[in-house]
């Protein structure tokens, strides 16, 4: 979540104690996706070399790793000698998408030092999430300084907990003293030190570390850090004691009572979490309670003291993850662990999680946060190994959090809280954007296809994209739009499709021909060009996934070996499909056309839209008959449906429901049956949502028909039983001729809806089966 530093919310900000003269950003690994493990450059190497302290040898390593790249396989493996096991890791950092600031710098940074210092059993992983005007510079500064101060500390090899505490506090003081303006800027920090079999996790802020644990056949997520936010009672009371006002934006803007704690859990904060404010102003607005920097926020209790968690690795720990809160805003710890467990290569896991996080941000917000993740596999660790060879360092009873305050002895903090954040509600900004789209139309319009694809070409593209992590959550409608957006590109043998070091904005599906992936890497002081991959249509090859998410220097080139064809998808079209809610907006408009839903809110309609299923019927296909009772609402999107029923065989209430459809279609009578020809935009079956059932009803498709369908079960799980909404809000009597009364007001709490992925629908003889 980070810090709210927009000018519109800050109000009166005191004069900065230091000049606003932030240093030029040191762009590096965190800003370029898959790139060097450390972003410290040669200038940093020279500076560190002149420190003249005993830890020089170890600290100099921090800059030397800047020349290291991930190998072609996408991950690197390092040995932990004392534990006789390997760590295989990969990483990915994606710049956020901010429509109002398309060139905004990635404020996340990370570092990996294997080994860390001179001890081959020490390995360090860290993620730093900057915020504020100089957040990028702060995260880069802290990334370097925390590592340096750890290695400098005389207690580092004796007591890592004490060394961690001192390193964070020293780094915080150095940031305050630096010319870099941290009055309203800073960074959170989550780091993991692997020392033999022991893991030390130091956390200040709301990024997170998670480890997987095998429990029988299951793999369970164990949080190695607890987000430090006002949602935690202990943190809330501490910052209040320091003078902070803790209010949401709605409260600070007077939309909600500031004297009532209106926030519940992080799962349902709808993008408006509790934040910290000074007593007499609308700043700084931090949504976390600990960070490094943030000198103004420090005056109201935002501290740099880390919580340090210590545990011992066993053979039941297959991997751990360390990531910024851009990942955990919409993904729970367990979801992340489940996703990592599906991949053998940690690089594939990083790519899948970043893509899923990115998609969810655009689904629920109008922007994305910066997203950074490191995945580390633990290979070959057995419980049979002797631990006698481990470094002679004191290891406290495990697991625990150890917090050090001043010169006091370390005290254990009870592990009495878990991280539950995985937000599933639309933000206020997204709701406003949806409302605006109803009035103003879409900001993005799908381009007209420049080349009409044959069915063979469409089938090939669909096969290539099938199961791809970037596109697996798209609806059928979105997939059709995506296919139309794919542009045909003819290439000649020898053509350069993308150039290493350049920028690209397209994702490609190989239609025909052969292509090589070339990368220039440094070996023994020389630059060597290697062929990393070969792409062909037969292999259903695709490339350029990361180009869909951000424009950063490419790590490899793609050359055409032979003449061939590529199908290209532009970044702006991919974002447009996601951002415009192309399918969802249509679904919302469709739902709003149902009189029964006319008074529901956009948020309620959005919950319902998540559960709509698109079903197709061929000409003459039976949709409903006496053997297949109606159990859902059907909204006709395309084609016509013929309804047949006998009024005399139905109760007055049921007849009143059906009579409401007379105005929707062409009505006539055939012998003793009434027939209604329902056209596009009409609907039937809404009575099932109220618990009413009609057995003697027949519905048959006339021509090819497409319907949007939602069952009562899914409707109830999305917004609760329809019978609970008030008669005044829904106007059931006026709209349906129904005298049935409902009893509960429209503000009834809405239960969390199940996810779209939980719905498993199939076709059996043309009918829905769940």
């Amino acid at each position: 979540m980070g810090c709210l530093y927009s000018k519109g919310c800050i109000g009166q900000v005191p004069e900065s104690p230091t000049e606003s003269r932030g240093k030029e950003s040191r762009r590096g690994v965190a800003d370029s996706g898959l790139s060097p493990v450390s972003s410290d450059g040669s200038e940093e190497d020279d500076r560190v070399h002149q420190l003249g302290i005993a830890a020089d040898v170890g600290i100099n390593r921090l800059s030397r790793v800047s020349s290291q790249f991930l190998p072609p396989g996408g991950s690197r493996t390092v040995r932990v000698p004392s534990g006789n096991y390997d760590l295989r890791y990969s990483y990915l950092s994606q710049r956020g998408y901010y429509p109002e600031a398309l060139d905004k710098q990635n404020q996340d940074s990370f570092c990996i030092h294997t080994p860390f210092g001179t001890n081959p059993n020490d390995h360090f992983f860290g993620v730093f999430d900057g915020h504020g005007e100089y957040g990028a510079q702060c995260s880069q500064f802290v990334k370097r300084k925390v590592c340096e101060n750890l290695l400098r500390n005389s207690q580092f090899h004796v007591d890592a907990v004490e060394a961690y505490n001192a390193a964070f506090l020293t780094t915080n003081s150095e940031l305050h003293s630096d010319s870099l303006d941290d009055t309203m800027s800073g960074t959170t920090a989550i780091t993991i030190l692997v020392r033999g079999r022991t893991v030390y996790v130091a956390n200040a802020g709301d990024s997170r570390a998670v480890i997987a644990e095998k429990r029988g056949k299951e793999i369970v997520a164990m949080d190695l850090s607890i987000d430090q936010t006002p949602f935690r009672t202990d943190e809330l009371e501490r910052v209040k004691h320091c003078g902070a006002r803790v209010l949401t934006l709605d409260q600070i803007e007077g939309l909600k009572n500031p004297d009532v704690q209106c926030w519940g859990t992080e799962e349902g904060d709808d993008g408006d979490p509790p934040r910290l404010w000074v007593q007499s102003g609308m700043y700084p607005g931090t949504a976390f309670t600990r960070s490094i920097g943030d000198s103004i926020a420090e005056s109201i209790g935002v501290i740099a003291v880390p919580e340090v968690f210590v545990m011992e690795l066993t053979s039941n720990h297959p991997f751990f993850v360390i990531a910024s809160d851009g990942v955990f805003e919409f993904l729970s710890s367990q979801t992340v662990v489940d996703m990592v467990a599906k991949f053998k290569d940690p690089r594939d896991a990083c790519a899948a999680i970043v893509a899923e996080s990115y998609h969810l941000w655009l689904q629920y917000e109008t922007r994305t946060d910066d997203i950074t993740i490191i995945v580390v596999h633990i290979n070959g660790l057995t419980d049979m190994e002797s631990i006698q060879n481990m470094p002679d360092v004191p290891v406290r009873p495990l697991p625990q959090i150890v917090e050090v305050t001043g010169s006091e002895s370390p005290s254990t903090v009870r592990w009495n809280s878990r991280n539950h954040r995985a937000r599933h509600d639309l933000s206020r900004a997204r709701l406003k954007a949806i409302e605006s789209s109803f009035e103003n139309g879409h900001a993005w319009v799908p381009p007209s296809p420049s080349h009409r694809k044959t069915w063979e070409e469409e089938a090939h593209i669909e096969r290539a994209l099938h199961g791809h992590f970037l596109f697996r959550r798209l609806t059928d409608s979105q997939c059709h739009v995506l296919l139309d957006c794919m542009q045909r590109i003819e290439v000649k043998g020898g053509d350069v499709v993308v150039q290493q070091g350049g920028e690209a904005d397209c994702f490609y599906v190989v239609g025909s021909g052969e292509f090589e992936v070339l990368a220039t890497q440094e070996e023994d002081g020389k630059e060597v060009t290697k062929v990393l991959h070969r792409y062909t249509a037969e292999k259903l090859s695709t490339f350029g996934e990361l180009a869909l998410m951000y424009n950063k220097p490419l790590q490899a080139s793609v050359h055409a070996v032979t003449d061939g064809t590529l199908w290209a998808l532009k970044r702006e079209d991919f974002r447009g499909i996601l951002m415009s809610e192309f399918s969802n907006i249509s679904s919302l408009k469709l739902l709003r056309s149902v009189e029964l839903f006319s008074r529901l809110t956009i948020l309620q309609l959005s919950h319902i839209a998540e559960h709509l299923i698109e079903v197709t019927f061929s000409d003459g296909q039976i949709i409903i008959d006496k053997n297949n009772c109606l159990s859902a609402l059907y909204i006709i999107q395309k084609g016509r449906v013929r309804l047949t029923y006998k009024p005399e065989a139905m109760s007055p209430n049921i007849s009143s429901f059906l009579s409401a459809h007379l105005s929707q279609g062409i009505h006539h009578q055939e012998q003793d049956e009434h027939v209604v020809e329902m056209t596009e935009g009409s609907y039937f079956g809404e009575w099932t949502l109220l618990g009413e059932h009609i057995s003697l009803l027949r519905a048959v498709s006339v021509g090819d028909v497409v319907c949007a369908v939602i069952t009562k079960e899914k409707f109830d799980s999305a917004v609760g039983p329809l019978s609970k909404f008030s008669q005044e809000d829904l106007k059931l009597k006026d709209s349906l001729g129904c005298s049935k009364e409902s009893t509960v007001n429209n503000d009834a709490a809405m239960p969390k809806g199940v996810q779209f992925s939980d719905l498993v629908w199939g076709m059996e003889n043309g009918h829905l089966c769940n």
Side-chain angles (χ1 to χ4, degrees):
M1 277 175 198
C3 180
L4 181 77
Y5 285 145
S6 63
K7 293 181 180 178
C9 298
I10 291 175
Q12 294 182 345
V13 180
E15 290 294 323
S16 171
T18 60
E19 294 286 337
S20 297
R21 48 180 188 275
K23 296 177 182 176
E24 181 180 353
S25 171
R26 296 178 176 86
R27 297 178 67 88
V29 27
D31 298 329
S32 56
L34 293 175
S35 33
V37 180
S38 173
S39 62
D40 301 319
S42 58
E43 175 187 351
E44 181 68 12
D45 189 23
D46 294 339
R47 187 186 65 77
V48 173
H49 184 71
Q50 299 171 5
L51 287 175
I53 59 176
D56 270 356
V57 176
I59 294 178
N60 279 332
R61 275 205 83 264
L62 305 185
S63 56
R64 288 209 304 274
V65 297
S66 63
S67 63
Q68 298 176 354
F69 284 76
L70 285 174
S75 57
R76 178 179 289 113
T77 300
V78 295
R79 190 71 173 166
V80 184
S82 66
N84 195 26
Y85 68 95
D86 295 327
L87 297 175
R88 186 185 182 195
Y89 64 85
S90 191
Y91 48 83
L92 185 60
S93 184
Q94 178 193 319
R95 180 168 67 104
Y97 171 65
Y98 297 88
E100 73 285 355
L102 294 177
D103 295 327
K104 183 178 178 181
Q105 190 175 357
N106 189 347
Q107 295 186 309
D108 282 2
S109 66
F110 67 91
C111 60
I112 300 172
H113 302 302
T114 55
F116 184 53
T118 57
N119 189 339
N121 294 303
D122 286 356
H123 302 277
F124 184 89
F125 305 87
V127 171
F128 306 86
D129 184 353
H131 49 260
E133 184 176 359
Y134 303 112
Q137 294 93 325
C138 287
S139 68
Q140 294 284 341
F141 179 95
V142 170
K143 175 184 69 177
R144 297 191 311 274
K145 287 293 186 176
V146 163
C147 294
E148 291 177 11
N149 290 326
L150 267 178
L151 291 175
R152 281 196 185 101
N153 194 285
S154 60
Q155 296 295 307
F156 177 61
H157 296 289
V158 179
D159 189 342
V161 174
E162 177 63 41
Y164 252 132
N165 183 76
F168 272 55
L169 294 180
T170 300
T171 300
N172 189 55
S173 296
E174 290 174 339
L175 183 54
H176 291 339
S177 302
D178 192 79
S179 59
L180 180 59
D181 185 357
D182 75 335
T183 54
M184 296 284 284
S185 298
T187 184
T188 63
I190 182 75
T191 71
I192 291 183
L193 171 65
V194 178
R195 173 166 286 173
R197 289 172 172 264
T198 306
V199 171
Y200 299 87
V201 183
N203 177 50
D206 55 0
S207 293
R208 192 181 301 175
V210 182
I211 195 167
E213 181 175 89
K214 295 179 183 176
R215 297 180 184 174
K217 295 182 179 180
E218 296 184 347
I219 297 182
V220 179
M222 288 181 56
D223 290 316
L224 299 180
S225 62
I226 303 176
D227 300 350
Q228 295 151 352
T229 71
F231 286 107
R232 277 178 52 174
T233 302
D234 56 341
E235 290 293 285
L236 175 64
E237 295 304 318
R238 182 181 60 76
V239 295
K240 281 186 174 180
H241 183 73
C242 293
R245 290 190 301 159
V246 182
L247 303 168
T248 65
L249 279 177
D250 277 349
Q251 289 178 310
I252 203 74
E253 293 172 358
L255 300 178
K256 292 182 179 179
N257 186 348
D259 298 323
V260 178
Q261 183 172 315
C262 64
W263 60 89
T265 63
E266 291 185 87
E267 296 97 317
D269 67 27
D270 71 0
D272 188 23
R275 298 176 180 273
L276 276 61
W277 314 88
V278 298
Q279 288 294 328
S280 58
M282 293 177 64
Y283 63 90
T286 63
F288 44 79
T289 56
R290 301 195 189 199
S291 73
I292 301 176
D294 295 293
S295 58
I296 287 181
E298 193 173 276
S299 67
I300 54 173
V302 176
I303 58 176
V305 178
E307 288 180 321
V308 183
F309 175 65
V310 189
M311 70 169 293
E312 187 171 347
L313 296 175
T314 71
S315 60
N316 289 324
H317 297 131
F319 58 83
F320 62 81
V321 176
I322 181 171
S324 63
D325 70 325
V327 167
F328 295 106
E329 183 73 13
F330 298 102
L331 296 177
S332 67
S333 298
Q334 186 62 53
T335 300
V336 169
V337 164
D338 291 341
M339 292 179 69
V340 174
K342 295 178 181 179
F343 299 94
K344 293 182 179 180
D345 192 323
R347 180 185 182 181
D348 295 334
C350 289
I353 291 171
V354 167
E356 182 74 351
S357 302
Y358 186 90
H359 179 95
L360 290 172
W361 271 98
L362 291 184
Q363 179 178 341
Y364 293 102
E365 291 279 2
T366 56
R367 64 175 183 90
T368 78
D369 197 0
D370 300 326
I371 304 170
T372 300
I373 186 170
I374 302 172
V375 175
V376 183
H377 284 187
I378 304 167
N379 299 325
L381 182 61
T382 63
D383 295 332
M384 301 299 296
E385 294 291 336
S386 171
I387 62 174
Q388 295 178 356
N389 295 326
M390 293 182 64
D392 186 18
V393 296
V395 179
R396 299 177 174 86
L398 309 176
Q400 65 178 351
I401 289 183
V402 179
E403 187 169 13
V404 184
T405 306
S407 59
E408 299 177 3
S409 299
S411 59
T412 302
V413 179
R414 286 194 306 149
W415 194 261
N416 60 353
S417 176
R418 303 294 290 174
N419 294 316
H420 299 293
R421 181 181 68 209
R423 187 155 58 88
H424 298 296
D425 280 336
L426 297 172
S427 70
R428 295 184 303 165
R430 169 55 76 192
L431 289 173
K432 290 179 180 178
I434 292 174
E435 287 281 13
S436 176
S437 69
F438 280 135
E439 301 174 1
N440 304 321
H442 304 300
W444 173 83
V445 178
S448 300
S450 60
H451 174 83
R452 291 293 177 184
K453 304 171 185 66
T454 65
W455 71 267
E456 293 94 342
E457 291 171 334
E458 288 193 353
H460 175 78
I461 296 173
E462 288 177 344
R463 286 197 302 270
L465 299 184
H466 179 70
H468 195 289
F469 63 84
L470 273 180
F471 310 108
R472 67 181 181 85
R473 289 179 60 89
L474 296 184
T475 65
D476 288 344
S477 297
Q478 288 172 316
C479 287
H480 288 314
V481 175
L482 186 146
L483 277 174
D484 287 342
C485 290
M486 300 288 285
Q487 303 295 317
R488 182 189 184 99
I489 299 177
E490 302 288 348
V491 295
K492 300 292 184 182
D495 286 353
V496 178
V497 181
V498 296
Q499 182 66 54
Q500 183 176 1
E503 295 183 356
D505 65 351
C506 286
F507 167 81
Y508 298 94
V509 173
V510 177
S512 64
E514 182 178 352
F515 299 82
E516 285 183 341
V517 182
L518 306 175
T520 302
Q521 299 179 345
E522 187 174 335
E523 287 188 2
D524 300 327
K526 298 180 180 179
E527 289 189 347
V528 179
T529 300
K530 293 184 176 181
V531 177
L532 305 183
H533 302 285
R534 292 185 183 274
Y535 295 143
T536 64
E538 291 71 25
K539 295 179 181 178
L540 299 177
S541 299
T542 63
F543 60 94
E545 289 88 347
L546 297 183
L548 291 183
M549 294 185 281
Y550 58 97
N551 53 332
K552 287 300 176 185
L554 299 170
Q555 298 302 309
S557 301
V558 178
H559 292 213
V561 178
T562 65
D563 292 354
T565 302
L566 293 171
W567 294 100
L569 175 66
K570 291 184 178 180
R571 183 193 305 125
E572 61 182 277
D573 292 332
F574 177 68
R575 282 180 175 167
I577 292 171
L578 297 181
M579 282 290 292
S580 68
E581 296 285 344
F582 184 84
S583 176
N584 197 35
I585 288 292
S586 300
S587 298
L588 292 177
K589 289 183 176 180
L590 201 64
L591 289 171
R592 181 168 274 185
S593 69
V594 178
E595 190 66 26
L596 194 66
F597 304 152
S598 62
R599 298 297 298 274
L600 295 183
T601 66
I602 289 294
L603 185 58
Q604 290 167 333
L605 293 177
S606 297
H607 284 298
I608 298 171
E610 291 179 1
H611 300 278
L612 279 177
I613 301 298
E614 189 176 276
V615 186
T616 60
F617 302 93
S618 57
D619 183 27
Q621 187 172 350
I622 296 175
I623 302 174
I624 298 297
D625 63 13
K626 63 180 180 179
N627 298 319
N628 182 32
C629 294
L630 186 66
S631 60
L633 166 68
Y634 287 74
I635 307 175
I636 304 171
Q637 296 177 280
K638 176 184 176 182
R640 293 182 297 148
V641 173
R642 178 186 173 99
L643 286 183
T644 306
Y645 63 97
K646 294 181 178 181
E648 63 274 11
M650 299 177 181
S651 66
N653 272 353
I654 298 302
S655 295
S656 66
F657 274 115
L658 292 174
S659 64
H661 293 293
L662 295 178
S663 60
Q664 293 189 51
I666 302 172
H667 177 263
H668 63 276
Q669 190 167 344
E670 295 181 358
Q671 297 179 354
D672 59 343
E673 291 185 328
H674 284 214
V675 179
V676 180
E677 293 280 351
M678 307 193 69
T679 57
E680 188 173 310
S682 302
Y683 54 88
F684 60 94
E686 68 274 27
W687 53 84
T688 64
L689 303 183
L690 290 166
E692 297 284 356
H693 296 285
I694 302 177
S695 57
L696 300 177
L697 178 71
R698 180 182 174 89
V700 180
S701 59
V702 180
D704 292 336
V705 172
V706 179
C707 290
V709 181
I710 185 168
T711 66
K712 175 176 171 53
E713 177 187 5
K714 299 306 178 184
F715 182 92
D716 289 352
S717 70
V719 297
L722 187 59
S723 59
K724 289 186 177 181
F725 293 98
S726 69
Q727 183 179 15
E728 179 182 356
D729 282 342
L730 295 177
K731 296 184 177 180
L732 291 179
K733 188 172 182 178
D734 293 339
S735 63
L736 296 175
C738 175
S739 60
K740 196 175 185 69
E741 294 186 358
S742 51
T743 58
V744 179
N745 63 39
N746 192 39
D747 295 326
M750 292 184 296
K752 293 294 179 187
V754 293
Q755 295 302 298
F756 185 81
S757 58
D758 294 336
L759 296 176
V760 182
W761 291 84
M763 293 296 299
E764 183 176 331
N765 298 324
H767 303 302
L768 283 171
C769 43
N770 188 2

